[in-house]
Amino acid sequence: MELGSILQFLENRSILVTGATGFLAKIFVEKILRVQPHVKKLYLLLRASDTNAAMLRFSNEIIGKELFKVLKEKNGANLSSLIAEKVRVVAGDITFENLGVKDLSLLEEMLTGIDVVVNLAATTNFDERYDVSLGINTLGARHVLNFSKKCKKLKILVHVSTAYVSGEREGLILENPCMMGETLNGTRGLDVEAEKKLIDETLKQLKAHNYDEEYIKSSMKHLGIQRARKFGWPNTYVFTKAMGEMLLGELKENIPLVIIRPTIVTSTYKEPFPGWVEGVRTIDSLAVGYGKGRLTCFLGDPTTVVDVIPADMVVNAIVVAMVAHADQANESVYHVGSSVSNPVEYASLQSYGLRYFSDHPWIDKDGKPIVVGKITVLNTMESFQRYMRLHYLLPLKGLQMLNTACCQYFQQMYIEKYRKIKFVMRLIDLYAPYLFFKAFYDDMNTEKLRCAAKELETEMFYFDPKTINWDDYFMNTHIPGVVKRVFRN
């Protein structure tokens, strides 16, 4: 693999970024503008009804974020002119052909000028409505590919997927493409067009029965989980991402294609500054719940390896991969994670939480520090179910009987507790596969990419997880960043 200068490649290039308001997309945009201000144009596709609405989203959800403070400090008064010259905000939607771009002159400009397409648009909700998830993660990927085929100067299409398209398989997961129609459990009959037809027919039947929107939403969520599990995937998100990869591999023809599969993406490691994070992700919600004293038990195997990778490393891998494979008409897959090269266990995450919140206790609404301690670790689903029965389900049954005896006097309390327990059980149903995860993501391709980049600009485009001291990162960067994010909200 030969790799020339990354900065030189980026100079005078036009890059389309879909899903531009997303976590990784923002970091990608900031990185390009900061390290290569001589990029020709960044076309940022935002879901919006028109250009004014898109510009408003750009101001509020992208450039207005703290993430861009280093870029603002670097450019000072010149930032506005840099943005005006280098960034073109595009109102569109990847669920439509031509990405929903209605301005025909802009569309022509994009098709004749774009060199690189980076598809970061996705819905990451595990139990998203099936119609929404298929529309964005699967059919949206096909629309991005079709658009890329029309780009006259295209050098590379980079599609950001997820390592968890592997489902619940155990052992070493190789960097292999998802093959069309290939399921995880061997069930035959997976066909994307058939799935789309099933969705359309189900929606038609639901509307014919005049069900309300809430019922339709619930039904579409249930359908997504049902279809995913029929073919061996644990949730709608990874199922539809896998089908998106299948379509790209099947229909790419001679388009240079790179699939980036990150694992669990965490806060920035170094750039533009350590600890920037957006939203509260799965492992972060556990940390916050623990810090606030709300987490009384933890479900999961303490020896399970949690495959985490800082967001800036993922972005650097995207940039290096797109340079390495430009103009090469093949499909390349990269796992960007840490489970093979620098693994961290759930037990370590528990330890980091205990140590951090013991030294920096959460302050409650009355201004008092919340004291945390060791929590009960339930390392099997059976022990979790026993715990739930003893501490929640039996008391709930008692409350139900008392409520009946007292002529529904405790009805509101019963409903609230029932809903909370139902919510927890649904979360466990969705996330349990990852709490007992037994897979490791091979990163041999990614290692080769790192070696190819080693002689050139490696300080600027670092993505080697072996350099991370997890103790220092979680204690001094990630958890403080998550806490700061929660308080900002």
Side-chain angles (χ1 to χ4, degrees), residues 242-258:
M243 287 192 288
E245 285 196 30
M246 290 176 193
L247 284 179
L248 291 176
E250 182 79 4
L251 303 174
K252 67 175 285 300
E253 296 174 348
N254 63 345
I255 292 290
L257 174 65
V258 167

Side-chain angles (χ1 to χ4, degrees), residues 304-317:
T304 291
V305 169
V306 190
D307 200 321
V308 292
I309 189 76
D312 47 338
M313 289 195 173
V314 178
V315 165
N316 288 337

Side-chain angles (χ1 to χ4, degrees), residues 83-313:
I83 297 297
E85 181 186 354
K86 302 298 181 181
V87 175
R88 182 68 189 266
V89 177
V90 181
D93 188 334
I94 70 162
T95 62
F96 295 98
E97 280 296 332
N98 287 329
L99 309 184
V101 179
K102 298 170 186 173
D103 184 330
L104 295 181
S105 62
L106 172 58
L107 180 61
E108 182 61 25
E109 176 190 320
M110 293 168 70
L111 293 176
T112 56
I114 286 172
D115 301 289
V116 176
V117 175
V118 181
N119 183 28
L120 282 151
T123 174
T124 59
N125 296 329
F126 280 18
D127 64 341
E128 180 64 87
R129 287 178 56 139
Y130 193 28
D131 52 337
V132 172
S133 197
L134 190 88
I136 297 172
N137 295 342
T138 306
L139 304 179
R142 182 168 66 188
H143 289 143
V144 173
L145 175 64
N146 289 341
F147 184 89
S148 300
K149 287 179 178 180
K150 298 175 188 176
C151 292
K152 297 176 175 63
K153 293 170 56 185
L154 186 80
K155 290 187 166 294
I156 189 81
L157 164 61
V158 180
H159 174 75
V160 179
S161 184
T162 170
Y164 297 98
V165 292
S166 64
E168 298 173 70
R169 285 187 291 166
E170 298 183 0
L172 189 66
I173 309 297
L174 302 180
E175 293 163 297
N176 292 331
C178 292
M179 305 307 292
M180 180 59 75
E182 189 174 284
T183 64
L184 296 183
N185 59 8
T187 300
R188 295 179 180 274
L190 176 58
D191 178 87
V192 174
E193 294 308 319
E195 294 303 305
K196 176 69 169 68
K197 186 178 179 182
L198 174 65
I199 287 172
D200 292 341
E201 289 175 351
T202 304
L203 281 172
K204 185 178 178 181
Q205 289 173 11
L206 289 168
K207 288 172 182 175
H209 285 87
N210 291 317
Y211 289 119
D212 61 29
E213 278 304 310
E214 197 57 38
Y215 184 86
I216 292 173
K217 178 181 176 181
S218 175
S219 298
M220 294 312 294
K221 284 188 171 188
H222 176 72
L223 180 63
I225 294 291
Q226 181 188 58
R227 299 304 292 176
R229 291 180 178 172
K230 172 181 171 67
F231 295 111
W233 280 271
N235 58 65
T236 311
Y237 166 54
V238 295
F239 177 45
T240 53
K241 289 296 280 186
M243 287 192 288
E245 285 196 30
M246 290 176 193
L247 284 179
L248 291 176
E250 182 79 4
L251 303 174
K252 67 175 285 300
E253 296 174 348
N254 63 345
I255 292 290
L257 174 65
V258 167
I259 306 284
I260 300 287
R261 292 180 185 157
T263 52
I264 299 171
V265 182
T266 54
S267 63
T268 53
Y269 177 58
K270 284 198 293 190
E271 291 186 7
F273 53 88
W276 189 78
V277 67
E278 193 168 55
V280 178
R281 285 160 163 69
T282 313
I283 60 170
D284 303 335
S285 60
L286 293 174
V288 170
Y290 175 70
K292 289 183 175 182
R294 295 175 182 169
L295 201 64
T296 57
C297 67
F298 174 84
L299 173 64
D301 183 350
T303 65
T304 291
V305 169
V306 190
D307 200 321
V308 292
I309 189 76
D312 47 338
M313 289 195 173

Side-chain angles (χ1 to χ4, degrees), residues 367-379:
K368 297 178 181 177
I370 296 172
V371 179
V372 296
K374 289 189 175 181
I375 60 174
T376 303
V377 177
L378 307 169
N379 56 14

